[in-house]
Amino acid sequence: MDKEINYTESYFADDRVDGIEKVTGKAKFAAEHPLAEMAYAVFVCSTIPKGAIKNMVLYEARNAPGVLDIIYYLNCPTIPGHRPYDKDPNKKGFEWRGLKVFNDNIIYSNGQPIALVIADTLERAVYAASLVKAEYVTEDFITDFEKGKKDEALLKKAGDYKRGEADAYKTAAVFVEDEYTIPIETHNPMELHATTAVWEGDNKLTVYDKSQGPKGTQAELARNFGLDEKNVRVVTEYVGGAFGSALRSWPHVPAAVIAARKVKRPVKLVLTREQMFTMVGYRPHAWQKIAIGAGKDGKLVGISHHAISNTSTYEDFSEGIVGVSQFLYDCPNVNTSYKLLPLNINTPTWMRGPGPATGCFALECALDDLSYKLNIDPIELRLINYAEVHPASKLPWTSKFLKECYALGKEKIGWHNRAAIPGSLKENGMLVGYGMAGGVFGAGRGQAAAKGILKSDGSLVLQSAVSDMGPGTSTAMVTIGAELMGLPMNKIKFELGDTDLPPGPTQGGSGSTSAVGAAINAVCDSLKQTLKEMAIQQVPAFSTAKPEDVQYKKGMLFFKSDKTISISYTDLLQQSGKPEIEVIKDSARASAEAQKYAMHSFSVHFVKLQVHPVTGVIRLEHIVSTADAGKIITPKPARSQMVGGAVGGIGMALTEEVVIDHHFGRYVNSNFGDYHVPVNADTPIIDVLFADKPDPIINPMGSKGIGEIALVGVAPAIANAVYNATGKRVRELPITPDKLLS
Amino acid sequence: MEQEYKENCAGESRRDFLKKSTALAALATATPVLLKAAGNDEKIAGYFEKIPLQLEVNGKVHNLSVEPRVTLLDLLREQLNLTGTKKGCDHGQCGACTVHVDGRRINSCLSLAVMNEGKNVTTIEGLADGEKLHPMQESFIKHDGFQCGYCTPGQIMSAIACVKEGHANSVDEIREFMSGNICRCGAYPNIVDAIMEVKKGGQPL
């Protein structure tokens, strides 16, 4: 009677569960759902940074073959959610914070969508869009960050902080004080943002969207179009990267929805790569001034950290840039300030490691400078100032294995070969440098719901409306389910990316595994409880079993003390006449835990590189990324995520920079030929080492997030290695050869 | 008239290509007049704007009628529903649209569909033999040569060609000859490992 489930195939294999779909081209992304009568929409975008549309000439475009409609501000139906508060005082919360597409003729940025051409084929839509002409009234604008930041009248306060004495660094025996700048960087995931919208009648809407949060997009669409959430379905089964760009909806989402309603056909709207630079956010341009003072023993006396980052003129976006100086190291006196500079460009958004990625560039480079001034090894300097408890809240950390990370990385990179005097180490005529820097990001646990359906054939379906933009959320959820239920991975399917499923969180801030994993954990506990109750009914021997006497392995319930007493899940369901058992569970946000503990993931990145002494060309040789991300659930994808973060950090450090022509207020390098993201040849050997120690508090799996800390700290580690190699400190990213020659 | 285009487009030689170009130019001049005469009738416009195209995709011969401005990429994705080939930039800068045409890797966004008359196109959908994956597909899974999976079809098509071209003899060589395929998730080291294993395995690709 005890038929074991066949698990001759991979049991806890580490391959991605969606690997076959991805390598065969079967995985369907947002623009790849074939629908009958599909119409194609193409944006016409503004060519000025500020002003208003005076006139639009649509005649030629309207008469071009295949054109179904052209939507612009004069004929766009009023979107309920785009109405201002004062027009509808009873419906608070209706006001849309972002750009209200086609709402009026005001131009806020270059590249702003001003019309949408819908035609029966893509080619006809593209051609007709080229025929739309706009005349503008132009106004004075500002796109120059460097110019704007000097004008106090333009700046908006975004938060100050003080602990102990302000500017205490000045009283220290040794201090450094410098300015750091990062340019605008863009997410530019490989999949273009796309929305396919389909209406059924006037009240039911389905949207295939590139979104990190299907539930969030559903809520936004329901609110904006005055629909019941249950009548809005958002499908995001596969998301081709995002890194933050799909954390919220951008103008193309409502635009596609409006278009589909107007032409009464499914409408597909895919952004161009150029539009990916001006329509879906970016990491803001940021200036920082940081000063750190220490005693001769290396003990920190004070940190002062000030930042200004840009936002748009129609929406404020801020991120925790200076926050890292408040808690990453133990320092009695810290003061920080943060201001926003509105520019006539589109709104920035969270991009991988938002806040700490920018803040750690300044903090970790300044600490490196300080280490040379003190003549203390940079790792040693960090250990001297190691924070045993959170320095601001004084709360203990749920777990912190940062010292292990320092030790692992130091050994692997060969830190003992590092020269203490910059520019003194040479190999084969190249200057050689070693550098290191730390990263950090919050590691809480958000709310999530999940469903489990255990079927009589012994297979398990797990569900939650979360996206998987690449980290391997599906693989992690199947792994968690497999371990808890004692089932082989190939018997478990994780279904995601559909708002018809139980509500999952938006994938962001390195929180998916923690939140959804905790919900899966609750589902599996409940399933096991039900199985045990059924076993007691079916197998008399189980009636004497105490909870701790029952084990769940290999698709069966076992009596711990007598392994001959067992029953398979399959038999149990079949004998009790049930085709399946279904459970929905909710896992709450870790609010109570957050009152008692500080929760963070930590990383330390080590770099060895070469610099050509004449040309200044940098050649990365080796990166070692170490992390305390709790227990690692899926080692292979987790390693890949760290490698990917390091590659992102290489771009931030060495190549990525949006360039604006301030005469026209327009991006000049909005394509992959001119905006340089790292390619294969830019990538060195990358080793990843995890502390791999379970966190006892944050979630039942013991995991912490990886996505952000994979990138946070990489750019300063590279900058520090460049300094070690050359003696030149570059404080304006990216570190291009010209900056090393000047 | 249609027969004439068929004849013009059937060949592969430079002379045939020139003949085809001339025919296209003639069509381009004629179209607006004819369109006007036809009173913007969609069907007539469609007839004059499209030209016949025969090409083999993944072993299947397609007899199509396409507008000359349709790229091979958009033909595959929007008309043949072969969405495994991805659009990443439409400018030949990212490699996501890489397919094989007569065994060579090309960026399908930079090739007009009509330029491929009579040619043999292989896309990611044409690699596996039923359930049996191509060795490069297997190796990408084993070495985790992707995260989000969007650039993956292009990477795999490029990787197979990279080995066949004889450009996979060392890690550095692979890095160089795979640099036309951008992976924003940063799976490059894993992609190199996947290719190295296939190269060492020596299986026929």
Side-chain angles (χ1 to χ4, degrees):
Chain A
M1 127 178 162
D2 292 328
K3 291 194 298 284
E4 283 190 10
I5 288 167
N6 174 18
Y7 47 85
T8 50
E9 291 169 65
S10 60
Y11 193 60
F12 291 140
D14 208 12
D15 294 341
R16 282 173 199 263
V17 296
D18 47 9
I20 290 173
E21 277 72 19
K22 288 179 176 177
V23 301
T24 54
K26 285 181 187 149
K28 292 259 180 237
F29 294 84
E32 299 174 353
H33 295 267
L35 298 165
E37 292 289 294
M38 184 80 87
Y40 294 80
V42 171
F43 272 134
V44 178
C45 296
S46 74
T47 54
I48 63 158
K50 192 184 178 196
I53 301 165
K54 189 164 69 182
N55 187 27
M56 283 181 78
V57 184
L58 304 175
Y59 177 79
E60 238 188 312
R62 270 197 207 287
N63 287 301
V67 171
L68 301 170
D69 207 342
I70 299 174
I71 299 168
Y72 69 122
Y73 75 99
L74 283 179
N75 69 358
C76 183
T78 307
I79 300 171
H82 285 187
R83 286 188 207 125
Y85 276 133
D86 55 351
K87 284 189 185 158
D88 199 349
N90 297 322
K91 291 188 177 174
K92 279 196 174 174
F94 254 44
E95 192 183 56
W96 175 242
R97 62 203 160 100
L99 182 81
K100 294 160 194 66
V101 67
F102 309 140
N103 199 52
D104 51 36
N105 65 337
I106 311 293
I107 301 296
Y108 300 94
S109 68
N110 235 312
Q112 174 184 326
I114 56 170
L116 187 71
V117 177
I118 308 133
D120 59 353
T121 71
L122 174 62
E123 291 76 18
R124 286 172 156 189
V126 169
Y127 175 64
S130 75
L131 301 174
V132 174
K133 301 278 179 289
E135 291 167 29
Y136 305 95
V137 179
T138 58
E139 292 175 33
D140 289 343
F141 62 89
I142 176 159
T143 54
D144 188 344
F145 182 92
E146 289 306 317
K147 209 168 126 191
K149 83 171 201 287
K150 292 177 192 134
D151 187 348
E152 271 300 322
L154 291 175
L155 302 176
K156 290 181 175 180
K157 267 199 166 188
D160 293 343
Y161 171 88
K162 187 167 79 83
R163 170 168 91 230
E165 294 296 314
D167 294 339
Y169 70 93
K170 289 177 180 167
T171 65
V174 178
F175 72 83
V176 292
E177 185 176 18
D178 288 289
E179 295 180 29
Y180 293 81
T181 306
I182 69 159
I184 287 176
E185 288 170 49
T186 58
H187 311 70
N188 269 305
M190 293 315 296
E191 183 200 13
L192 301 162
H193 275 250
T195 303
T196 307
V198 195
W199 285 91
E200 284 171 53
D202 283 343
N203 291 315
K204 210 159 182 309
L205 173 68
T206 300
V207 168
Y208 302 88
D209 191 34
K210 179 186 181 79
S211 168
Q212 290 171 242
K215 289 300 291 181
T217 301
Q218 178 195 40
E220 281 175 9
L221 286 170
R223 196 172 62 231
N224 274 341
F225 287 90
L227 299 167
D228 277 344
E229 274 195 22
K230 64 175 169 34
N231 287 332
V232 180
R233 182 178 171 216
V234 177
V235 179
T236 66
E237 193 185 355
Y238 284 96
V239 177
F243 317 106
S245 66
L247 279 165
R248 59 176 289 191
S249 286
W250 300 100
H252 65 278
V253 181
V257 171
I258 297 164
R261 174 170 255 179
K262 275 204 97 181
V263 303
K264 300 197 186 319
R265 283 168 70 163
V267 167
K268 186 195 291 195
L269 200 178
V270 183
L271 298 192
T272 63
R273 184 54 68 183
E274 187 180 6
Q275 290 165 355
M276 293 282 289
F277 284 78
T278 54
M279 237 180 260
V280 294
Y282 53 87
R283 192 194 300 285
H285 193 131
W287 165 90
Q288 301 175 72
K289 186 174 183 182
I290 191 164
I292 309 181
K296 289 206 165 121
D297 57 356
K299 194 79 200 79
L300 295 182
V301 173
I303 305 177
S304 299
H305 193 167
H306 308 283
I308 301 170
S309 68
N310 84 277
T311 184
S312 68
T313 54
Y314 55 91
E315 191 178 11
D316 286 350
F317 172 79
S318 62
E319 57 180 27
I321 293 174
V322 292
V324 288
S325 288
Q326 297 162 16
F327 72 89
L328 195 48
Y329 300 102
D330 189 23
C331 180
N333 305 296
V334 178
N335 61 303
T336 68
S337 76
Y338 181 33
K339 288 173 185 166
L340 297 181
L341 170 63
L343 295 176
N344 297 109
I345 52 178
N346 56 311
T347 310
T349 196
W350 303 278
M351 177 170 161
R352 201 167 193 178
T358 303
C360 277
F361 168 55
L363 176 63
E364 294 293 289
C365 285
L367 271 178
D368 199 61
D369 275 345
L370 191 66
S371 77
Y372 287 98
K373 271 201 167 179
L374 288 163
N375 203 20
I376 295 174
D377 180 275
I379 301 172
E380 188 55 32
L381 179 62
R382 285 164 175 84
L383 289 170
I384 290 168
N385 295 290
Y386 190 84
E388 295 291 350
V389 297
H390 190 286
S393 66
K394 306 291 178 203
L395 293 173
W397 265 289
T398 52
S399 62
K400 184 176 182 180
F401 297 101
L402 182 54
K403 284 179 183 166
E404 284 77 353
C405 294
Y406 290 129
L408 286 168
K410 188 176 174 179
E411 172 73 23
K412 188 76 184 174
I413 199 78
W415 192 253
H416 60 278
N417 292 319
R418 170 184 176 270
I421 300 164
S424 63
L425 187 61
K426 279 188 183 172
E427 282 173 18
N428 303 323
M430 298 283 275
L431 297 163
V432 176
Y434 289 80
M436 57 79 61
V440 67
F441 209 82
R445 186 189 75 236
Q447 193 197 358
K451 187 196 272 187
I453 307 157
L454 184 64
K455 298 186 177 173
S456 60
D457 64 356
S459 67
L460 174 65
V461 176
L462 298 168
Q463 299 175 327
S464 185
V466 66
S467 288
D468 182 353
M469 61 173 154
T473 305
S474 297
T475 308
M477 294 312 121
V478 169
T479 304
I480 291 166
E483 284 182 359
L484 292 172
M485 294 304 295
L487 283 169
M489 283 187 61
N490 59 11
K491 280 280 172 187
I492 303 180
K493 188 167 194 295
F494 181 65
E495 294 177 347
L496 78 168
D498 189 333
T499 48
D500 283 352
L501 304 173
T506 293
Q507 179 159 67
S510 304
S512 298
T513 300
S514 197
V516 187
I520 296 289
N521 208 88
V523 163
C524 292
D525 279 352
S526 175
L527 283 173
K528 281 154 80 172
Q529 181 61 29
T530 308
L531 284 169
K532 199 181 77 187
E533 284 162 13
M534 287 164 70
I536 291 167
Q537 301 270 318
Q538 295 287 322
V539 185
F542 275 105
S543 58
T544 59
K546 291 176 193 147
E548 62 272 21
D549 288 342
V550 183
Q551 279 186 322
Y552 304 80
K553 270 186 184 170
K554 302 180 178 182
M556 302 171 85
L557 278 84
F558 285 92
F559 217 104
K560 208 185 244 172
S561 53
D562 182 357
K563 292 249 169 26
T564 62
I565 303 171
S566 66
I567 184 165
S568 73
Y569 304 165
T570 321
D571 285 342
L572 209 45
L573 265 84
Q574 281 167 3
Q575 284 171 25
S576 52
K578 287 189 180 179
E580 59 188 36
I581 318 171
E582 187 181 301
V583 170
I584 299 181
K585 285 283 165 188
D586 198 73
S587 163
R589 175 176 289 278
S591 308
E593 292 92 328
Q595 300 293 313
K596 288 190 268 181
Y597 299 97
M599 304 177 188
H600 289 92
S601 290
F602 300 91
S603 60
V604 189
H605 305 276
F606 298 81
V607 173
K608 183 189 179 191
L609 52 73
Q610 302 177 348
V611 181
H612 193 278
V614 179
T615 63
V617 168
I618 296 164
R619 182 152 180 85
L620 292 165
E621 202 177 312
H622 192 190
I623 293 180
V624 177
S625 286
T626 66
D628 165 21
K631 184 190 162 196
I632 302 305
I633 308 284
T634 49
K636 197 150 75 179
R639 176 188 168 276
S640 295
Q641 207 178 354
M642 290 294 292
V643 168
V647 173
I650 293 169
M652 181 179 180
L654 301 179
T655 60
E656 292 184 43
E657 176 179 25
V658 158
V659 180
I660 300 175
D661 178 340
H662 300 301
H663 184 71
F664 296 105
R666 192 182 306 166
Y667 288 12
V668 296
N669 61 338
S670 42
N671 63 77
F672 279 144
D674 297 313
Y675 180 90
H676 295 158
V677 302
V679 296
N680 209 320
D682 297 320
T683 309
I685 296 165
I686 301 173
D687 282 309
V688 175
L689 300 164
F690 290 113
D692 201 11
K693 300 247 169 74
D695 181 285
I697 306 292
I698 296 176
N699 59 56
M701 298 82 63
S703 70
K704 297 195 281 190
I706 297 175
E708 328 293 331
I709 55 160
L711 180 140
V712 178
V714 174
I718 292 171
N720 293 343
V722 168
Y723 179 75
N724 184 248
T726 63
K728 290 206 169 87
R729 174 64 67 182
V730 179
R731 297 189 175 88
E732 277 177 39
L733 294 182
I735 308 169
T736 45
D738 55 304
K739 293 175 187 168
L740 293 175
L741 297 177
S742 57
Chain B
M1 194 174 179
E2 196 179 331
Q3 186 55 38
E4 195 186 320
Y5 291 135
K6 263 186 187 157
E7 281 167 14
N8 279 336
C9 299
E12 281 290 319
S13 70
R14 182 177 155 75
R15 188 166 154 265
D16 281 335
F17 176 73
L18 289 173
K19 268 169 78 181
K20 182 164 68 180
S21 308
T22 318
L24 289 177
L27 181 68
T29 326
T31 304
V33 183
L34 291 167
L35 283 180
K36 213 170 185 179
N40 201 19
D41 184 308
E42 290 294 317
K43 277 186 183 167
I44 294 173
Y47 178 83
F48 283 112
E49 283 171 3
K50 288 181 178 178
I51 63 168
L53 167 69
Q54 188 186 75
L55 80 169
E56 190 177 324
V57 184
N58 301 330
K60 191 180 165 195
V61 177
H62 293 263
N63 284 297
L64 305 160
S65 175
V66 300
E67 290 184 358
R69 62 185 168 183
V70 174
T71 62
L72 178 58
L73 172 62
D74 287 329
L75 177 77
L76 292 169
R77 282 176 67 82
E78 305 300 340
Q79 297 186 38
L80 302 182
N81 194 27
L82 290 169
T83 51
T85 305
K86 306 301 182 191
K87 183 179 281 189
C89 70
D90 223 11
H91 284 50
Q93 295 171 335
C94 79
C97 66
T98 306
V99 297
H100 296 173
V101 174
D102 289 345
R104 287 181 63 206
R105 52 173 161 172
I106 66 154
N107 287 326
S108 61
C109 74
L110 291 187
S111 178
L112 294 171
V114 294
M115 290 160 64
N116 297 283
E117 169 69 30
K119 291 185 182 172
N120 196 332
V121 180
T122 306
T123 71
I124 192 75
E125 289 94 342
L127 290 184
D129 182 6
E131 294 286 293
K132 188 165 169 28
L133 297 180
H134 184 281
M136 194 63 80
Q137 292 173 314
E138 270 184 356
S139 197
F140 265 64
I141 292 180
K142 182 179 169 188
H143 292 280
D144 212 27
F146 54 89
Q147 288 186 49
C148 77
Y150 195 80
C151 75
T152 314
Q155 298 279 359
I156 290 173
M157 298 312 288
S158 215
I160 293 166
C162 181
V163 175
K164 282 185 174 175
E165 290 159 10
H167 290 142
N169 298 306
S170 68
V171 166
D172 279 344
E173 196 180 22
I174 292 171
R175 281 176 181 160
E176 200 64 35
F177 281 87
M178 286 299 292
S179 281
N181 290 78
I182 297 174
C183 169
R184 193 61 164 143
C185 297
Y188 299 128
N190 299 0
I191 290 168
V192 172
D193 289 348
I195 297 172
M196 283 297 277
E197 176 162 320
V198 172
K199 165 75 181 168
K200 281 180 188 159
Q203 304 107 305
L205 299 180

